Amino acid sequence: MLSLHKPKRKQSVFFVFILMILCFLINPIPAYANSLPASSAHTLSASTSTPQVGGSFTVTATANVSELFAFETIFTYDPQKVKLIRADAAANGNLIKPVGDEGEIILAWSKEGNEQPTNGTMRMAELTFNVLKAGETEIIWQSLRIANRSLQEVAVSPGVSLRTNARAESGSGDVGNVGGVNVPNTNGSGKAQAPLTPEVAIIAGNAPAMTLSENAVSLTSESGNRIHVVLHMAQALKEIHESSKEKSTFVVMIPAQESASITVDVPSEVLQAIQSKSGGTGSLVISSSVGMYKLPIDQLKLDANAKVTVTIATVSEEQAHAIDKLVTAEGFTLTGSRVDFSVSILDASGQVTEMHDYESAFAARTLPAGHIDPDRTAAVLFRTDGTMAPVPTLFVKQPDGIYIALIHRMGNSTYGLITGSRTFADLNGHWSQKDIETMAGRLLVNGDTEGRFRPDDAITRVEFAKLVTDALALPEKGDSMTFRDIDPSAWYSRSLLTAVSFGLIEGYDGGIFRPDSFVTREEIAVMLDRALHVTGFKYDPPAHFVQLLGMEHLNDWSKDSVHMMVGLGILTGDDGNMIQPSQSATRAEAVVMLKRLLIKLSFMNE
């Protein structure tokens, strides 16, 4: 354990009591002599337990209080390891400018004169630190003095501390954006330059998050292990408006309760306030032990008096039994719970609209995964027709060794985790064997009826279109096929229609598609570049173009996409450093390039 800088003992500043007396004189309220404040269950929590040198993290202090009207609290830290850059007390009230020596921070706060004292769990402080050095450091909650409105005081020694283990800078990788969720970009090799944590991906990203208080959220336990949560509009709006300017992600925390079904009602005014405050980029996150969900507010068409309902629920026993049979029949084992995520909008006229699919956002959600092998585990969605399909998923390891499944998809459904593997008879010893088996274990590729993959066969236009739409779990889109050479009843027709509707692939003049024509390497580069744009992935062009032999033969329509895919490490040359843009891609090459794309998006693990 590191020894911390020990601040000098000094006389209390008593700022909080001066403030209390002023408030008391301005707006006197009868004292309750027998109602002494008490505090217990002090906790410190951090936005991440492994911050990066040069980055920042936030420590939140909470306590259970009764009749609290004001407090003064002291925290200490090691100034050689971290630098305090911001200190906030409770969201609503009067905060005297924080003071303290280096390595110490003193916060003094009181309620407004006409407000009622607080009872229950309260967020006392939020401290944000920059990380100066790698290694372990500790934040200590040294003391807390609390008082009620009648100036009766009690001093408490919380006796809690929080340790973080800062990691060294891992490179200059920028942070990209996938459907509103910030993820680390990767270099040309496809290796992530910084680990992704749920706190970064779901709660905060690049935008600081704020948890709405208990005064803004009410929870009611109902029969059948159900929890009904309601956001109180007036209090929620007040906290959003009074939050610091940089806050744009607001979190509804729901106490841990295993296997519960959670329903959260949110007035549209609250969501509109978040968007207004953030310039249209704000988020509302529902956080529970069952799962977490980041609501894509900009995808919702909201009337002034509408109500949005978000449900995170474990499935019924009947549904669970059917899902178990399906997973077993496919040769996999179910891992963990099956959880349904749904969003509905009740408008002012009483009409309810279910948000099955989103127009352009890959909504983020998580499932607890426990102690799994991420190389043998996949997340899938369970369709209403009794089938299952893959979904983009990154398994994120937590400091305690357990995993969380971070799922992105342009819609809502029932999700679960499966464990298992698949291989093909003709892959043994092939250069692509490991990549193809990884993709097969995630249900992203299939073989033929004889159990072969045929890795060296050329891939057709419809085969690759289906491969991309399945990998991104794109919702079905489009009404009818317009190509003269496509049979609407063909096995690939729905996937092809979706790929065309999202702009991933186009037909030829004369209204034909040529479904069985082989895809060239430059055509694949164009389709993958378009797929990046569909996801909302933000990236800068490479600083310099990687030059492969044969790039002078590129068509004008493919040059930008090929240069980008080469620069990002998704498209590479052959053993002779040749790109061979007009050569047909093999099935193995197509799968490997798609796998690199998914890793680039943080849509799957390496």
PDB file of all heavy atoms in Angstrom, residues 208-222:
ATOM      1  N   PRO A 208     -19.016  13.398 -19.744  1.00  0.00           N
ATOM      2  CA  PRO A 208     -19.216  13.091 -18.324  1.00  0.00           C
ATOM      3  C   PRO A 208     -20.669  12.731 -18.029  1.00  0.00           C
ATOM      4  O   PRO A 208     -21.591  13.301 -18.601  1.00  0.00           O
ATOM      5  CB  PRO A 208     -18.802  14.389 -17.622  1.00  0.00           C
ATOM      6  CG  PRO A 208     -17.914  15.085 -18.593  1.00  0.00           C
ATOM      7  CD  PRO A 208     -18.443  14.726 -19.948  1.00  0.00           C
ATOM      8  N   ALA A 209     -20.847  11.778 -17.121  1.00  0.00           N
ATOM      9  CA  ALA A 209     -22.182  11.300 -16.799  1.00  0.00           C
ATOM     10  C   ALA A 209     -22.618  11.797 -15.433  1.00  0.00           C
ATOM     11  O   ALA A 209     -21.800  12.101 -14.569  1.00  0.00           O
ATOM     12  CB  ALA A 209     -22.219   9.774 -16.832  1.00  0.00           C
ATOM     13  N   MET A 210     -23.924  11.871 -15.248  1.00  0.00           N
ATOM     14  CA  MET A 210     -24.500  12.260 -13.966  1.00  0.00           C
ATOM     15  C   MET A 210     -25.633  11.298 -13.632  1.00  0.00           C
ATOM     16  O   MET A 210     -26.484  11.003 -14.478  1.00  0.00           O
ATOM     17  CB  MET A 210     -25.038  13.689 -14.033  1.00  0.00           C
ATOM     18  CG  MET A 210     -25.847  14.100 -12.810  1.00  0.00           C
ATOM     19  SD  MET A 210     -26.552  15.746 -12.998  1.00  0.00           S
ATOM     20  CE  MET A 210     -27.667  15.768 -11.577  1.00  0.00           C
ATOM     21  N   THR A 211     -25.634  10.787 -12.421  1.00  0.00           N
ATOM     22  CA  THR A 211     -26.699   9.901 -11.972  1.00  0.00           C
ATOM     23  C   THR A 211     -27.819  10.721 -11.365  1.00  0.00           C
ATOM     24  O   THR A 211     -27.587  11.553 -10.478  1.00  0.00           O
ATOM     25  CB  THR A 211     -26.165   8.900 -10.932  1.00  0.00           C
ATOM     26  OG1 THR A 211     -25.126   8.115 -11.524  1.00  0.00           O
ATOM     27  CG2 THR A 211     -27.282   7.979 -10.455  1.00  0.00           C
ATOM     28  N   LEU A 212     -29.038  10.519 -11.856  1.00  0.00           N
ATOM     29  CA  LEU A 212     -30.184  11.222 -11.291  1.00  0.00           C
ATOM     30  C   LEU A 212     -30.414  10.754  -9.856  1.00  0.00           C
ATOM     31  O   LEU A 212     -30.255   9.581  -9.542  1.00  0.00           O
ATOM     32  CB  LEU A 212     -31.429  10.972 -12.147  1.00  0.00           C
ATOM     33  CG  LEU A 212     -31.358  11.504 -13.590  1.00  0.00           C
ATOM     34  CD1 LEU A 212     -32.612  11.125 -14.364  1.00  0.00           C
ATOM     35  CD2 LEU A 212     -31.171  13.017 -13.615  1.00  0.00           C
ATOM     36  N   SER A 213     -30.794  11.681  -8.993  1.00  0.00           N
ATOM     37  CA  SER A 213     -30.928  11.382  -7.575  1.00  0.00           C
ATOM     38  C   SER A 213     -32.168  10.544  -7.293  1.00  0.00           C
ATOM     39  O   SER A 213     -33.050  10.383  -8.148  1.00  0.00           O
ATOM     40  CB  SER A 213     -30.999  12.680  -6.766  1.00  0.00           C
ATOM     41  OG  SER A 213     -32.260  13.297  -6.942  1.00  0.00           O
ATOM     42  N   GLU A 214     -32.240  10.047  -6.053  1.00  0.00           N
ATOM     43  CA  GLU A 214     -33.417   9.278  -5.640  1.00  0.00           C
ATOM     44  C   GLU A 214     -34.675  10.132  -5.635  1.00  0.00           C
ATOM     45  O   GLU A 214     -35.786   9.614  -5.743  1.00  0.00           O
ATOM     46  CB  GLU A 214     -33.186   8.682  -4.250  1.00  0.00           C
ATOM     47  CG  GLU A 214     -32.184   7.553  -4.232  1.00  0.00           C
ATOM     48  CD  GLU A 214     -32.146   6.854  -2.890  1.00  0.00           C
ATOM     49  OE1 GLU A 214     -32.617   7.449  -1.913  1.00  0.00           O
ATOM     50  OE2 GLU A 214     -31.645   5.722  -2.829  1.00  0.00           O
ATOM     51  N   ASN A 215     -34.512  11.443  -5.502  1.00  0.00           N
ATOM     52  CA  ASN A 215     -35.671  12.333  -5.533  1.00  0.00           C
ATOM     53  C   ASN A 215     -36.296  12.407  -6.924  1.00  0.00           C
ATOM     54  O   ASN A 215     -37.460  12.770  -7.067  1.00  0.00           O
ATOM     55  CB  ASN A 215     -35.274  13.745  -5.082  1.00  0.00           C
ATOM     56  CG  ASN A 215     -34.846  13.783  -3.632  1.00  0.00           C
ATOM     57  OD1 ASN A 215     -35.335  13.012  -2.818  1.00  0.00           O
ATOM     58  ND2 ASN A 215     -33.919  14.672  -3.308  1.00  0.00           N
ATOM     59  N   ALA A 216     -35.512  12.084  -7.930  1.00  0.00           N
ATOM     60  CA  ALA A 216     -36.009  12.138  -9.308  1.00  0.00           C
ATOM     61  C   ALA A 216     -36.527  10.792  -9.785  1.00  0.00           C
ATOM     62  O   ALA A 216     -37.133  10.712 -10.851  1.00  0.00           O
ATOM     63  CB  ALA A 216     -34.910  12.629 -10.241  1.00  0.00           C
ATOM     64  N   VAL A 217     -36.277   9.733  -9.019  1.00  0.00           N
ATOM     65  CA  VAL A 217     -36.622   8.379  -9.442  1.00  0.00           C
ATOM     66  C   VAL A 217     -37.364   7.663  -8.325  1.00  0.00           C
ATOM     67  O   VAL A 217     -36.914   7.653  -7.181  1.00  0.00           O
ATOM     68  CB  VAL A 217     -35.347   7.580  -9.797  1.00  0.00           C
ATOM     69  CG1 VAL A 217     -35.711   6.183 -10.264  1.00  0.00           C
ATOM     70  CG2 VAL A 217     -34.535   8.309 -10.856  1.00  0.00           C
ATOM     71  N   SER A 218     -38.497   7.087  -8.643  1.00  0.00           N
ATOM     72  CA  SER A 218     -39.209   6.275  -7.654  1.00  0.00           C
ATOM     73  C   SER A 218     -39.310   4.844  -8.158  1.00  0.00           C
ATOM     74  O   SER A 218     -39.525   4.601  -9.340  1.00  0.00           O
ATOM     75  CB  SER A 218     -40.607   6.846  -7.394  1.00  0.00           C
ATOM     76  OG  SER A 218     -41.431   6.703  -8.523  1.00  0.00           O
ATOM     77  N   LEU A 219     -39.132   3.886  -7.241  1.00  0.00           N
ATOM     78  CA  LEU A 219     -39.171   2.468  -7.566  1.00  0.00           C
ATOM     79  C   LEU A 219     -40.290   1.801  -6.791  1.00  0.00           C
ATOM     80  O   LEU A 219     -40.437   2.019  -5.582  1.00  0.00           O
ATOM     81  CB  LEU A 219     -37.847   1.785  -7.215  1.00  0.00           C
ATOM     82  CG  LEU A 219     -36.637   2.016  -8.117  1.00  0.00           C
ATOM     83  CD1 LEU A 219     -36.084   3.413  -7.940  1.00  0.00           C
ATOM     84  CD2 LEU A 219     -35.557   0.988  -7.845  1.00  0.00           C
ATOM     85  N   THR A 220     -41.059   0.979  -7.475  1.00  0.00           N
ATOM     86  CA  THR A 220     -42.136   0.229  -6.849  1.00  0.00           C
ATOM     87  C   THR A 220     -41.969  -1.245  -7.177  1.00  0.00           C
ATOM     88  O   THR A 220     -41.875  -1.619  -8.352  1.00  0.00           O
ATOM     89  CB  THR A 220     -43.510   0.711  -7.347  1.00  0.00           C
ATOM     90  OG1 THR A 220     -43.648   2.109  -7.100  1.00  0.00           O
ATOM     91  CG2 THR A 220     -44.622  -0.040  -6.634  1.00  0.00           C
ATOM     92  N   SER A 221     -41.892  -2.075  -6.163  1.00  0.00           N
ATOM     93  CA  SER A 221     -41.813  -3.517  -6.372  1.00  0.00           C
ATOM     94  C   SER A 221     -43.201  -4.071  -6.608  1.00  0.00           C
ATOM     95  O   SER A 221     -44.143  -3.777  -5.863  1.00  0.00           O
ATOM     96  CB  SER A 221     -41.177  -4.198  -5.152  1.00  0.00           C
ATOM     97  OG  SER A 221     -39.849  -3.767  -4.982  1.00  0.00           O
ATOM     98  N   GLU A 222     -43.344  -4.881  -7.650  1.00  0.00           N
ATOM     99  CA  GLU A 222     -44.630  -5.459  -8.000  1.00  0.00           C
ATOM    100  C   GLU A 222     -44.529  -6.975  -7.992  1.00  0.00           C
ATOM    101  O   GLU A 222     -43.425  -7.537  -7.898  1.00  0.00           O
ATOM    102  CB  GLU A 222     -45.064  -4.946  -9.386  1.00  0.00           C
ATOM    103  CG  GLU A 222     -45.219  -3.422  -9.446  1.00  0.00           C
ATOM    104  CD  GLU A 222     -45.579  -2.937 -10.838  1.00  0.00           C
ATOM    105  OE1 GLU A 222     -45.423  -3.720 -11.804  1.00  0.00           O
ATOM    106  OE2 GLU A 222     -46.016  -1.779 -10.968  1.00  0.00           O
TER     107      GLU A 222
END
